[in-house]
PDB file of all heavy atoms in Angstrom:
ATOM      1  N   VAL B 273      10.415 -22.991  19.438  1.00 63.00           N
ATOM      2  CA  VAL B 273      11.741 -22.385  19.558  1.00 63.00           C
ATOM      3  C   VAL B 273      11.655 -21.012  20.204  1.00 63.00           C
ATOM      4  O   VAL B 273      10.897 -20.161  19.772  1.00 63.00           O
ATOM      5  CB  VAL B 273      12.389 -22.261  18.159  1.00 63.00           C
ATOM      6  CG1 VAL B 273      13.711 -21.518  18.252  1.00 63.00           C
ATOM      7  CG2 VAL B 273      12.603 -23.630  17.557  1.00 63.00           C
ATOM      8  N   THR B 274      12.428 -20.814  21.240  1.00 66.00           N
ATOM      9  CA  THR B 274      12.474 -19.483  21.851  1.00 66.00           C
ATOM     10  C   THR B 274      13.871 -18.892  21.777  1.00 66.00           C
ATOM     11  O   THR B 274      14.042 -17.688  21.770  1.00 66.00           O
ATOM     12  CB  THR B 274      12.056 -19.533  23.332  1.00 66.00           C
ATOM     13  OG1 THR B 274      12.844 -20.531  23.988  1.00 66.00           O
ATOM     14  CG2 THR B 274      10.583 -19.871  23.466  1.00 66.00           C
ATOM     15  N   ASP B 275      14.865 -19.756  21.699  1.00 86.00           N
ATOM     16  CA  ASP B 275      16.243 -19.291  21.651  1.00 86.00           C
ATOM     17  C   ASP B 275      16.470 -18.523  20.342  1.00 86.00           C
ATOM     18  O   ASP B 275      16.178 -19.032  19.262  1.00 86.00           O
ATOM     19  CB  ASP B 275      17.177 -20.502  21.742  1.00 86.00           C
ATOM     20  CG  ASP B 275      18.601 -20.115  21.512  1.00 86.00           C
ATOM     21  OD1 ASP B 275      19.164 -19.425  22.379  1.00 86.00           O
ATOM     22  OD2 ASP B 275      19.138 -20.463  20.445  1.00 86.00           O
ATOM     23  N   ILE B 276      17.028 -17.333  20.444  1.00 87.00           N
ATOM     24  CA  ILE B 276      17.113 -16.460  19.272  1.00 87.00           C
ATOM     25  C   ILE B 276      18.045 -17.027  18.195  1.00 87.00           C
ATOM     26  O   ILE B 276      17.781 -16.873  16.996  1.00 87.00           O
ATOM     27  CB  ILE B 276      17.536 -15.021  19.690  1.00 87.00           C
ATOM     28  CG1 ILE B 276      17.393 -14.060  18.531  1.00 87.00           C
ATOM     29  CG2 ILE B 276      18.929 -14.983  20.244  1.00 87.00           C
ATOM     30  CD1 ILE B 276      15.994 -13.831  18.081  1.00 87.00           C
ATOM     31  N   GLU B 277      19.110 -17.710  18.612  1.00 89.00           N
ATOM     32  CA  GLU B 277      20.021 -18.250  17.594  1.00 89.00           C
ATOM     33  C   GLU B 277      19.365 -19.402  16.817  1.00 89.00           C
ATOM     34  O   GLU B 277      19.564 -19.546  15.622  1.00 89.00           O
ATOM     35  CB  GLU B 277      21.342 -18.695  18.229  1.00 89.00           C
ATOM     36  CG  GLU B 277      22.240 -17.519  18.627  1.00 89.00           C
ATOM     37  CD  GLU B 277      22.419 -16.484  17.504  1.00 89.00           C
ATOM     38  OE1 GLU B 277      22.652 -16.871  16.345  1.00 89.00           O
ATOM     39  OE2 GLU B 277      22.308 -15.267  17.798  1.00 89.00           O
ATOM     40  N   ARG B 278      18.566 -20.203  17.518  1.00 89.00           N
ATOM     41  CA  ARG B 278      17.851 -21.275  16.811  1.00 89.00           C
ATOM     42  C   ARG B 278      16.768 -20.687  15.904  1.00 89.00           C
ATOM     43  O   ARG B 278      16.480 -21.188  14.820  1.00 89.00           O
ATOM     44  CB  ARG B 278      17.253 -22.261  17.805  1.00 89.00           C
ATOM     45  CG  ARG B 278      18.330 -23.135  18.465  1.00 89.00           C
ATOM     46  CD  ARG B 278      17.729 -24.078  19.458  1.00 89.00           C
ATOM     47  NE  ARG B 278      16.842 -25.050  18.827  1.00 89.00           N
ATOM     48  CZ  ARG B 278      15.912 -25.736  19.482  1.00 89.00           C
ATOM     49  NH1 ARG B 278      15.756 -25.547  20.775  1.00 89.00           N
ATOM     50  NH2 ARG B 278      15.140 -26.595  18.852  1.00 89.00           N
ATOM     51  N   LEU B 279      16.170 -19.600  16.376  1.00 90.00           N
ATOM     52  CA  LEU B 279      15.164 -18.926  15.554  1.00 90.00           C
ATOM     53  C   LEU B 279      15.817 -18.343  14.288  1.00 90.00           C
ATOM     54  O   LEU B 279      15.268 -18.422  13.191  1.00 90.00           O
ATOM     55  CB  LEU B 279      14.531 -17.796  16.384  1.00 90.00           C
ATOM     56  CG  LEU B 279      13.088 -17.395  16.071  1.00 90.00           C
ATOM     57  CD1 LEU B 279      12.164 -18.594  15.975  1.00 90.00           C
ATOM     58  CD2 LEU B 279      12.580 -16.415  17.127  1.00 90.00           C
ATOM     59  N   ARG B 280      16.986 -17.802  14.474  1.00 93.00           N
ATOM     60  CA  ARG B 280      17.725 -17.271  13.323  1.00 93.00           C
ATOM     61  C   ARG B 280      18.056 -18.384  12.331  1.00 93.00           C
ATOM     62  O   ARG B 280      17.939 -18.202  11.116  1.00 93.00           O
ATOM     63  CB  ARG B 280      19.009 -16.591  13.807  1.00 93.00           C
ATOM     64  CG  ARG B 280      19.809 -15.970  12.693  1.00 93.00           C
ATOM     65  CD  ARG B 280      21.133 -15.414  13.217  1.00 93.00           C
ATOM     66  NE  ARG B 280      21.850 -14.759  12.137  1.00 93.00           N
ATOM     67  CZ  ARG B 280      22.274 -13.519  12.168  1.00 93.00           C
ATOM     68  NH1 ARG B 280      22.086 -12.772  13.218  1.00 93.00           N
ATOM     69  NH2 ARG B 280      22.902 -12.998  11.142  1.00 93.00           N
ATOM     70  N   ALA B 281      18.446 -19.525  12.859  1.00 92.00           N
ATOM     71  CA  ALA B 281      18.740 -20.665  11.976  1.00 92.00           C
ATOM     72  C   ALA B 281      17.474 -21.109  11.234  1.00 92.00           C
ATOM     73  O   ALA B 281      17.524 -21.441  10.045  1.00 92.00           O
ATOM     74  CB  ALA B 281      19.311 -21.820  12.798  1.00 92.00           C
ATOM     75  N   ALA B 282      16.341 -21.088  11.947  1.00 92.00           N
ATOM     76  CA  ALA B 282      15.073 -21.460  11.296  1.00 92.00           C
ATOM     77  C   ALA B 282      14.718 -20.463  10.204  1.00 92.00           C
ATOM     78  O   ALA B 282      14.242 -20.833   9.122  1.00 92.00           O
ATOM     79  CB  ALA B 282      13.955 -21.536  12.335  1.00 92.00           C
ATOM     80  N   LEU B 283      14.966 -19.178  10.475  1.00 94.00           N
ATOM     81  CA  LEU B 283      14.699 -18.145   9.463  1.00 94.00           C
ATOM     82  C   LEU B 283      15.601 -18.350   8.249  1.00 94.00           C
ATOM     83  O   LEU B 283      15.175 -18.218   7.106  1.00 94.00           O
ATOM     84  CB  LEU B 283      14.900 -16.753  10.082  1.00 94.00           C
ATOM     85  CG  LEU B 283      14.746 -15.555   9.153  1.00 94.00           C
ATOM     86  CD1 LEU B 283      13.387 -15.540   8.457  1.00 94.00           C
ATOM     87  CD2 LEU B 283      14.933 -14.246   9.927  1.00 94.00           C
ATOM     88  N   ASN B 284      16.849 -18.692   8.521  1.00 94.00           N
ATOM     89  CA  ASN B 284      17.780 -18.988   7.425  1.00 94.00           C
ATOM     90  C   ASN B 284      17.235 -20.098   6.525  1.00 94.00           C
ATOM     91  O   ASN B 284      17.303 -20.000   5.306  1.00 94.00           O
ATOM     92  CB  ASN B 284      19.121 -19.461   8.004  1.00 94.00           C
ATOM     93  CG  ASN B 284      20.150 -18.352   8.008  1.00 94.00           C
ATOM     94  OD1 ASN B 284      20.308 -17.638   7.020  1.00 94.00           O
ATOM     95  ND2 ASN B 284      20.833 -18.201   9.125  1.00 94.00           N
ATOM     96  N   ARG B 285      16.692 -21.133   7.159  1.00 94.00           N
ATOM     97  CA  ARG B 285      16.157 -22.262   6.370  1.00 94.00           C
ATOM     98  C   ARG B 285      14.935 -21.830   5.571  1.00 94.00           C
ATOM     99  O   ARG B 285      14.771 -22.217   4.420  1.00 94.00           O
ATOM    100  CB  ARG B 285      15.812 -23.437   7.293  1.00 94.00           C
ATOM    101  CG  ARG B 285      17.019 -24.246   7.738  1.00 94.00           C
ATOM    102  CD  ARG B 285      16.596 -25.585   8.351  1.00 94.00           C
ATOM    103  NE  ARG B 285      15.826 -25.407   9.575  1.00 94.00           N
ATOM    104  CZ  ARG B 285      16.368 -25.176  10.779  1.00 94.00           C
ATOM    105  NH1 ARG B 285      17.683 -25.089  10.899  1.00 94.00           N
ATOM    106  NH2 ARG B 285      15.602 -25.026  11.847  1.00 94.00           N
ATOM    107  N   ALA B 319      17.606 -10.191  12.276  1.00 95.00           N
ATOM    108  CA  ALA B 319      18.034 -11.212  13.241  1.00 95.00           C
ATOM    109  C   ALA B 319      19.133 -10.666  14.146  1.00 95.00           C
ATOM    110  O   ALA B 319      19.171 -10.975  15.337  1.00 95.00           O
ATOM    111  CB  ALA B 319      18.506 -12.467  12.500  1.00 95.00           C
ATOM    112  N   THR B 320      20.030  -9.862  13.598  1.00 94.00           N
ATOM    113  CA  THR B 320      21.101  -9.287  14.420  1.00 94.00           C
ATOM    114  C   THR B 320      20.516  -8.340  15.457  1.00 94.00           C
ATOM    115  O   THR B 320      20.877  -8.377  16.634  1.00 94.00           O
ATOM    116  CB  THR B 320      22.126  -8.548  13.535  1.00 94.00           C
ATOM    117  OG1 THR B 320      22.628  -9.467  12.574  1.00 94.00           O
ATOM    118  CG2 THR B 320      23.269  -7.997  14.366  1.00 94.00           C
ATOM    119  N   PHE B 321      19.571  -7.495  15.017  1.00 95.00           N
ATOM    120  CA  PHE B 321      18.929  -6.567  15.969  1.00 95.00           C
ATOM    121  C   PHE B 321      18.164  -7.353  17.034  1.00 95.00           C
ATOM    122  O   PHE B 321      18.235  -7.055  18.232  1.00 95.00           O
ATOM    123  CB  PHE B 321      17.987  -5.627  15.225  1.00 95.00           C
ATOM    124  CG  PHE B 321      17.365  -4.576  16.105  1.00 95.00           C
ATOM    125  CD1 PHE B 321      18.055  -3.416  16.424  1.00 95.00           C
ATOM    126  CD2 PHE B 321      16.091  -4.753  16.624  1.00 95.00           C
ATOM    127  CE1 PHE B 321      17.491  -2.448  17.245  1.00 95.00           C
ATOM    128  CE2 PHE B 321      15.522  -3.800  17.447  1.00 95.00           C
ATOM    129  CZ  PHE B 321      16.214  -2.640  17.755  1.00 95.00           C
ATOM    130  N   ALA B 322      17.452  -8.403  16.595  1.00 94.00           N
ATOM    131  CA  ALA B 322      16.659  -9.205  17.534  1.00 94.00           C
ATOM    132  C   ALA B 322      17.548  -9.878  18.574  1.00 94.00           C
ATOM    133  O   ALA B 322      17.141 -10.070  19.720  1.00 94.00           O
ATOM    134  CB  ALA B 322      15.848 -10.256  16.779  1.00 94.00           C
ATOM    135  N   SER B 323      18.770 -10.228  18.178  1.00 91.00           N
ATOM    136  CA  SER B 323      19.675 -10.925  19.099  1.00 91.00           C
ATOM    137  C   SER B 323      20.282  -9.979  20.125  1.00 91.00           C
ATOM    138  O   SER B 323      20.957 -10.408  21.050  1.00 91.00           O
ATOM    139  CB  SER B 323      20.785 -11.628  18.315  1.00 91.00           C
ATOM    140  OG  SER B 323      21.665 -10.659  17.776  1.00 91.00           O
ATOM    141  N   GLY B 324      20.058  -8.674  19.947  1.00 89.00           N
ATOM    142  CA  GLY B 324      20.567  -7.712  20.922  1.00 89.00           C
ATOM    143  C   GLY B 324      21.978  -7.246  20.634  1.00 89.00           C
ATOM    144  O   GLY B 324      22.542  -6.440  21.366  1.00 89.00           O
ATOM    145  N   LYS B 325      22.552  -7.744  19.525  1.00 85.00           N
ATOM    146  CA  LYS B 325      23.925  -7.337  19.197  1.00 85.00           C
ATOM    147  C   LYS B 325      23.936  -5.933  18.622  1.00 85.00           C
ATOM    148  O   LYS B 325      22.953  -5.480  18.027  1.00 85.00           O
ATOM    149  CB  LYS B 325      24.524  -8.305  18.185  1.00 85.00           C
ATOM    150  CG  LYS B 325      24.824  -9.665  18.764  1.00 85.00           C
ATOM    151  CD  LYS B 325      25.354 -10.584  17.678  1.00 85.00           C
ATOM    152  CE  LYS B 325      25.453 -12.005  18.208  1.00 85.00           C
ATOM    153  NZ  LYS B 325      25.466 -12.996  17.143  1.00 85.00           N
ATOM    154  N   ILE B 382      10.793 -13.631  14.552  1.00 96.00           N
ATOM    155  CA  ILE B 382      11.917 -12.676  14.622  1.00 96.00           C
ATOM    156  C   ILE B 382      11.368 -11.249  14.698  1.00 96.00           C
ATOM    157  O   ILE B 382      11.848 -10.413  15.487  1.00 96.00           O
ATOM    158  CB  ILE B 382      12.828 -12.822  13.373  1.00 96.00           C
ATOM    159  CG1 ILE B 382      13.600 -14.137  13.424  1.00 96.00           C
ATOM    160  CG2 ILE B 382      13.766 -11.621  13.231  1.00 96.00           C
ATOM    161  CD1 ILE B 382      14.875 -14.122  14.228  1.00 96.00           C
ATOM    162  N   THR B 385      10.243 -10.380  18.044  1.00 96.00           N
ATOM    163  CA  THR B 385      11.394 -10.133  18.919  1.00 96.00           C
ATOM    164  C   THR B 385      11.987  -8.751  18.647  1.00 96.00           C
ATOM    165  O   THR B 385      12.376  -8.031  19.576  1.00 96.00           O
ATOM    166  CB  THR B 385      12.472 -11.222  18.701  1.00 96.00           C
ATOM    167  OG1 THR B 385      11.840 -12.502  18.740  1.00 96.00           O
ATOM    168  CG2 THR B 385      13.537 -11.152  19.771  1.00 96.00           C
TER     169      THR B 385
END
Side-chain angles (χ1 to χ4, degrees):
Chain B
V273 175
T274 52
D275 172 69
I276 190 66
E277 286 311 315
R278 288 179 65 200
L279 209 48
R280 182 185 183 125
L283 177 56
N284 260 314
R285 282 194 296 279
T320 303
F321 184 82
S323 71
K325 289 177 189 159
I382 289 276
T385 312

